Amino acid sequence: MLTVDVLKNGYAPKSIDPSLDLFAEIARLKKEKNAIILAHYYQDSDIQDIADYIGDSLGLSQQAAKTKADVIVFAGVHFMAETAKILCPDKKVLLPDLRAGCSLAESCPADRFELFKNAHPDHIVISYINCTAEIKALTDIICTSSNAVQIVESLPKNQKIIFAPDKNLGRWVMQKTGRDMVLWDGACMVHEIFSREKILRLQQRYPNALLIAHPECEQPVLELADFIGSTTALLNFAIKSDKKEFIVATESGILHQMSKSAPDKTFIPAPPNNSCACNDCPHMKLNTLEKVYLCLLQETPELLMEEELRRKAETPIRRMLEISATLGL
Ligand code: 13P
Ligand code: SF4
């Protein structure tokens, strides 16, 4: 039996009937409401398994931009749902847990970033999609880890660039492109936690394993990597490679798709520098199958945005989508 409590932003059930088949109920509600579930690879396995589309930040924004659904359940974090709302203002965008934030987005507050931007008046601003709508509104072109290199390369060689908010991705892009950029000093708490020493020890235990890493990792870890790329790029690399063992330096949720797509291969999560499960993103993991069900049922929590901010934030995202489409990304 479902019991409900009135909360500030809607109705929040105290408990869900344990005999309810949540997979069947979610499928029923999706049909009834013409809803789509978009999920990032860092979500819980159950959420990945009921999603209509699973992908990285670029793929998810491309799907959001073209969906015909009336309701988008965004199984990811706040900046991702915000991006969907910016691209689809007429659709209802639901985030299973509104508290699902992002340490990287938080590392770049808009007031401080505006001062930083004003101090470099002849620079173009490229921002990683992992930022707030306010930062997007101060940005010229958005990028993701899938297209950051190509977006930077699409600009003239003498163009001065500010890259925000991830300094690790920014440094990697500088190395790949040979371009100098002014970097904002931000980082992701999950990708900064991997231990180079423990990875070196793991490589001794698994001498045939390849280390594959997300560019949000720090330089000492990236130096060891056999392949660096976005979550989708890491997944595709692992599927296509003729190697059988991989040490994976990114959030642990991606291992579910890797094991599903290449069941004959072994995927080992890269160890953090302490004994906690720190390569689980605490923000991503706030979403649960129960919360996906409840948000579809109650159509809350809903992502809402002031129209002026939405319009300002839309332009740099559309630029990214246009450049990506031209480059076939
Ligand atoms: P991608 O989705 O671009 O691989 O980035 C990973 C990430 O940190 C998302 O929060
Ligand atoms: Fe943000 Fe890092 Fe979590 Fe991605 S993994 S949502 S960048 S805190």
Side-chain angles (χ1 to χ4, degrees):
M1 219 11 210
L2 198 68
T3 54
V4 292
D5 260 356
V6 181
L7 280 190
K8 230 167 133 195
N9 60 353
Y11 288 89
K14 273 187 186 148
S15 57
I16 299 173
D17 179 351
S19 68
L20 212 58
D21 178 348
L22 290 183
F23 290 93
E25 281 302 302
I26 289 170
R28 181 183 65 74
L29 287 166
K30 265 193 337 187
K31 210 166 161 195
E32 188 183 300
K33 300 185 183 220
N34 188 26
I36 187 174
I37 300 179
L38 304 179
H40 192 269
Y41 291 121
Y42 295 166
Q43 291 291 285
D44 251 16
S45 319
D46 280 349
I47 299 179
Q48 293 188 36
D49 290 345
I50 46 113
D52 296 286
Y53 176 84
I54 318 162
D56 67 1
S57 302
L58 177 62
L60 288 164
S61 54
Q62 288 167 330
Q63 289 295 319
K66 70 178 186 200
T67 184
K68 298 227 168 359
D70 296 317
V71 177
I72 299 173
V73 175
F74 214 111
V77 292
H78 197 273
F79 76 80
M80 296 178 171
E82 231 175 28
T83 304
K85 186 67 188 174
I86 292 165
L87 291 168
C88 316
D90 301 331
K91 297 189 191 299
K92 188 172 264 191
V93 177
L94 305 171
L95 182 60
D97 192 319
L98 258 194
R99 296 167 303 164
C102 168
S103 66
L104 178 52
E106 277 161 28
S107 70
C108 192
D111 53 347
R112 277 180 46 215
F113 185 69
E114 192 162 15
L115 294 175
F116 183 76
K117 179 182 163 172
N118 291 343
H120 302 88
D122 49 351
H123 289 58
I124 272 193
V125 179
I126 299 182
S127 295
Y128 189 29
I129 199 164
N130 300 31
C131 63
T132 61
E134 286 77 9
I135 296 297
K136 289 184 173 82
L138 293 167
T139 293
D140 296 296
I141 316 175
I142 289 295
C143 71
T144 75
S145 58
S146 275
N147 60 20
V149 168
Q150 292 88 340
I151 297 271
V152 168
E153 282 176 340
S154 74
L155 297 176
K157 278 210 160 58
N158 58 354
Q159 176 62 59
K160 293 179 179 168
I161 302 171
I162 291 177
F163 190 92
D166 189 35
K167 63 179 174 193
N168 294 314
L169 175 66
R171 192 187 314 104
W172 177 70
V173 171
M174 278 167 56
Q175 288 162 1
K176 293 280 285 184
T177 60
R179 308 273 286 253
D180 198 20
M181 302 193 291
V182 178
L183 304 181
W184 179 262
D185 187 16
C188 157
M189 62 193 279
V190 179
H191 289 87
E192 283 212 309
I193 206 81
F194 297 112
S195 157
R196 179 183 163 98
E197 287 64 38
K198 285 191 187 170
I199 291 173
L200 284 168
R201 284 208 291 278
L202 205 56
Q203 285 178 319
Q204 281 170 1
R205 269 180 60 200
Y206 297 92
N208 297 321
L210 295 184
L211 174 67
I212 57 177
H214 196 280
E216 285 177 31
C217 294
E218 290 185 310
Q219 171 78 2
V221 168
L222 292 182
E223 275 169 8
L224 301 176
D226 297 291
F227 179 76
I228 299 167
S230 73
T231 42
T232 297
L234 297 181
L235 177 63
N236 290 339
F237 177 85
I239 293 170
K240 287 189 196 132
S241 169
D242 54 8
K243 297 283 190 230
K244 294 285 179 207
E245 292 172 334
F246 302 86
I247 299 169
V248 184
T250 190
E251 211 269 357
S252 60
I254 187 77
L255 270 71
H256 179 59
Q257 282 313 310
M258 288 178 170
S259 306
K260 263 178 100 168
S261 310
D264 57 321
K265 299 185 179 180
T266 304
F267 299 100
I268 308 148
N273 57 19
N274 53 31
S275 53
C276 68
C278 306
N279 48 353
D280 275 351
C281 171
H283 307 288
M284 287 278 181
K285 296 312 198 247
L286 278 175
N287 295 328
T288 60
L289 192 64
E290 287 76 11
K291 289 180 194 169
V292 170
Y293 162 68
L294 291 173
C295 87
L296 251 178
L297 180 73
Q298 302 166 335
E299 301 189 23
T300 188
E302 182 178 358
L303 206 301
L304 298 169
M305 196 180 302
E306 195 211 317
E307 180 56 15
E308 196 188 333
L309 173 63
R310 190 202 67 76
R311 267 193 293 103
K312 283 186 187 156
E314 184 177 8
T315 309
I317 304 176
R318 293 273 173 210
R319 279 199 194 115
M320 170 189 79
L321 293 176
E322 278 159 26
I323 297 171
S324 296
T326 311
L327 297 173
L329 298 169

